mmCIF file of all heavy atoms in Angstrom:
data_model
loop_
_atom_site.group_PDB
_atom_site.id
_atom_site.type_symbol
_atom_site.label_atom_id
_atom_site.label_comp_id
_atom_site.label_asym_id
_atom_site.label_seq_id
_atom_site.Cartn_x
_atom_site.Cartn_y
_atom_site.Cartn_z
ATOM 1 N N LEU A 93 83.327 81.834 87.253
ATOM 2 C CA LEU A 93 84.473 82.684 87.275
ATOM 3 C C LEU A 93 84.820 83.120 88.616
ATOM 4 O O LEU A 93 83.932 83.514 89.412
ATOM 5 C CB LEU A 93 84.135 83.941 86.396
ATOM 6 C CG LEU A 93 83.909 83.773 84.925
ATOM 7 C CD1 LEU A 93 83.777 85.092 84.207
ATOM 8 C CD2 LEU A 93 85.088 82.963 84.220
ATOM 9 N N ASN A 94 86.061 83.044 88.935
ATOM 10 C CA ASN A 94 86.466 83.451 90.310
ATOM 11 C C ASN A 94 87.064 84.859 90.388
ATOM 12 O O ASN A 94 87.586 85.264 91.323
ATOM 13 C CB ASN A 94 87.635 82.499 90.801
ATOM 14 C CG ASN A 94 87.238 81.188 90.977
ATOM 15 O OD1 ASN A 94 86.038 80.839 91.309
ATOM 16 N ND2 ASN A 94 88.056 80.123 90.822
ATOM 17 N N SER A 95 86.763 85.695 89.406
ATOM 18 C CA SER A 95 87.375 86.974 89.159
ATOM 19 C C SER A 95 86.565 88.123 89.898
ATOM 20 O O SER A 95 86.869 89.209 89.683
ATOM 21 C CB SER A 95 87.540 87.297 87.736
ATOM 22 O OG SER A 95 86.399 87.232 87.039
ATOM 23 N N GLY A 96 85.402 87.804 90.465
ATOM 24 C CA GLY A 96 84.547 88.792 91.153
ATOM 25 C C GLY A 96 83.387 89.240 90.291
ATOM 26 O O GLY A 96 82.643 90.173 90.739
ATOM 27 N N ARG A 97 83.199 88.603 89.096
ATOM 28 C CA ARG A 97 82.154 89.213 88.227
ATOM 29 C C ARG A 97 80.933 88.237 88.524
ATOM 30 O O ARG A 97 79.817 88.491 87.839
ATOM 31 C CB ARG A 97 82.549 89.108 86.749
ATOM 32 C CG ARG A 97 83.440 90.213 86.427
ATOM 33 C CD ARG A 97 83.739 90.308 85.032
ATOM 34 N NE ARG A 97 84.549 89.236 84.535
ATOM 35 C CZ ARG A 97 84.516 88.649 83.356
ATOM 36 N NH1 ARG A 97 83.586 89.001 82.486
ATOM 37 N NH2 ARG A 97 85.328 87.658 83.102
ATOM 38 N N CYS A 98 80.916 87.357 89.280
ATOM 39 C CA CYS A 98 79.652 86.615 89.655
ATOM 40 C C CYS A 98 79.060 85.919 88.379
ATOM 41 O O CYS A 98 77.945 86.079 88.167
ATOM 42 C CB CYS A 98 78.665 87.335 90.391
ATOM 43 S SG CYS A 98 79.250 87.959 92.052
ATOM 44 N N VAL A 99 79.828 85.134 87.683
ATOM 45 C CA VAL A 99 79.322 84.515 86.458
ATOM 46 C C VAL A 99 79.368 83.051 86.649
ATOM 47 O O VAL A 99 80.347 82.414 87.058
ATOM 48 C CB VAL A 99 80.131 84.969 85.188
ATOM 49 C CG1 VAL A 99 79.774 84.072 84.060
ATOM 50 C CG2 VAL A 99 80.193 86.365 84.959
ATOM 51 N N GLU A 100 78.287 82.286 86.297
ATOM 52 C CA GLU A 100 78.205 80.871 86.238
ATOM 53 C C GLU A 100 77.585 80.401 85.028
ATOM 54 O O GLU A 100 76.545 81.064 84.498
ATOM 55 C CB GLU A 100 77.446 80.405 87.442
ATOM 56 C CG GLU A 100 77.311 78.925 87.574
ATOM 57 C CD GLU A 100 76.644 78.416 88.893
ATOM 58 O OE1 GLU A 100 76.400 79.221 89.854
ATOM 59 O OE2 GLU A 100 76.346 77.274 88.937
ATOM 60 N N GLY A 101 78.025 79.370 84.388
ATOM 61 C CA GLY A 101 77.403 78.844 83.237
ATOM 62 C C GLY A 101 77.599 77.347 83.135
ATOM 63 O O GLY A 101 78.397 76.741 83.816
ATOM 64 N N GLU A 102 76.709 76.742 82.346
ATOM 65 C CA GLU A 102 76.617 75.312 82.182
ATOM 66 C C GLU A 102 76.396 74.913 80.699
ATOM 67 O O GLU A 102 75.530 75.534 80.054
ATOM 68 C CB GLU A 102 75.612 74.674 83.057
ATOM 69 C CG GLU A 102 75.597 73.224 82.958
ATOM 70 C CD GLU A 102 74.714 72.492 84.055
ATOM 71 O OE1 GLU A 102 74.020 73.186 84.825
ATOM 72 O OE2 GLU A 102 74.698 71.287 84.071
ATOM 73 N N PHE A 103 77.068 73.908 80.309
ATOM 74 C CA PHE A 103 76.853 73.353 78.986
ATOM 75 C C PHE A 103 76.274 71.894 79.058
ATOM 76 O O PHE A 103 76.749 71.153 79.858
ATOM 77 C CB PHE A 103 78.133 73.201 78.144
ATOM 78 C CG PHE A 103 78.728 74.617 77.913
ATOM 79 C CD1 PHE A 103 79.680 75.212 78.724
ATOM 80 C CD2 PHE A 103 78.345 75.336 76.763
ATOM 81 C CE1 PHE A 103 80.218 76.397 78.496
ATOM 82 C CE2 PHE A 103 78.943 76.619 76.565
ATOM 83 C CZ PHE A 103 79.860 77.180 77.447
ATOM 84 N N ALA A 104 75.189 71.657 78.364
ATOM 85 C CA ALA A 104 74.594 70.260 78.466
ATOM 86 C C ALA A 104 75.464 69.297 77.866
ATOM 87 O O ALA A 104 76.419 69.581 77.053
ATOM 88 C CB ALA A 104 73.278 70.372 77.626
ATOM 89 N N ALA A 105 75.326 68.055 78.285
ATOM 90 C CA ALA A 105 76.206 66.975 77.760
ATOM 91 C C ALA A 105 76.230 66.906 76.216
ATOM 92 O O ALA A 105 77.228 66.550 75.631
ATOM 93 C CB ALA A 105 75.709 65.602 78.364
ATOM 94 N N THR A 106 75.149 67.226 75.647
ATOM 95 C CA THR A 106 75.033 67.104 74.096
ATOM 96 C C THR A 106 75.871 68.142 73.491
ATOM 97 O O THR A 106 76.259 68.013 72.234
ATOM 98 C CB THR A 106 73.571 67.331 73.676
ATOM 99 O OG1 THR A 106 73.058 68.490 74.137
ATOM 100 C CG2 THR A 106 72.717 66.094 74.036
ATOM 101 N N ALA A 107 76.353 69.224 74.245
ATOM 102 C CA ALA A 107 77.147 70.276 73.585
ATOM 103 C C ALA A 107 78.632 70.166 73.860
ATOM 104 O O ALA A 107 79.402 70.765 73.263
ATOM 105 C CB ALA A 107 76.536 71.604 74.131
ATOM 106 N N VAL A 108 79.015 69.409 74.927
ATOM 107 C CA VAL A 108 80.372 69.407 75.339
ATOM 108 C C VAL A 108 81.364 68.972 74.324
ATOM 109 O O VAL A 108 82.473 69.641 74.202
ATOM 110 C CB VAL A 108 80.400 68.679 76.689
ATOM 111 C CG1 VAL A 108 81.900 68.420 77.144
ATOM 112 C CG2 VAL A 108 79.703 69.239 77.782
ATOM 113 N N SER A 109 81.083 67.906 73.645
ATOM 114 C CA SER A 109 82.058 67.353 72.700
ATOM 115 C C SER A 109 82.499 68.450 71.617
ATOM 116 O O SER A 109 83.667 68.731 71.372
ATOM 117 C CB SER A 109 81.475 66.114 72.033
ATOM 118 O OG SER A 109 82.420 65.698 71.055
ATOM 119 N N GLY A 110 81.392 69.104 71.067
ATOM 120 C CA GLY A 110 81.612 70.188 70.049
ATOM 121 C C GLY A 110 82.427 71.303 70.644
ATOM 122 O O GLY A 110 83.329 71.862 69.997
#
Side-chain angles (χ1 to χ4, degrees):
L93 296 183
N94 293 330
S95 60
R97 286 188 286 146
C98 300
V99 174
E100 180 175 352
E102 182 171 3
F103 297 92
T106 55
V108 172
S109 177

